[in-house]
Amino acid sequence: MNGPTTPPAPTSTGSRGTTTLWRPTGPQELALVEAADWRAWPPRLPDQPIFYPVLNEDYAIRIARDWNVPASGVGYVTRFEVDTAFLTRYPVRQAGGRTILELWVPAEELPEFNRHLAGRIEVVHEFRPQP
């Protein structure tokens, strides 16, 4: 993985000074998001020191479809808004190609990250195995 990069312009900026992020997820994590009334990401497991939201929908789709479906039978892409000013503390990481961009949020900072969500987390895509 490459180091931090200069943050690109947000994929979309909400009217309230927010940035749109995406997260590919499987059914277990999504159930925990639903249990939190779609307003928070669950704590990381001990072997998950980083929370990785991604900066573009296409990258999230590829992960949900190509990794989550084989691993758990279904993959979801979620979309959510976060206060843009708050996000400046997290450098954008390029995890591969030019458009494979993530934020790396340390697990211990996830409760603070959740406090800066604007609105609810929503599911925008669902992928299942192809017959």
Side-chain angles (χ1 to χ4, degrees), residues 63-120:
I63 294 170
R65 183 190 60 219
D66 300 344
W67 296 359
N68 292 109
V69 171
S72 57
V74 62
Y76 301 96
V77 174
T78 61
R79 179 176 59 208
F80 56 101
E81 301 284 327
V82 183
D83 175 52
T84 299
F86 173 77
L87 289 178
T88 61
R89 68 174 56 189
Y90 302 109
V92 174
R93 305 287 181 146
Q94 187 173 357
R98 186 174 54 87
T99 63
I100 301 178
L101 304 173
E102 308 171 332
L103 297 180
W104 292 4
V105 179
E108 63 273 10
E109 294 180 24
L110 190 53
E112 180 71 11
F113 182 91
N114 282 331
R115 284 191 285 279
H116 287 86
L117 294 179
R120 294 177 183 241

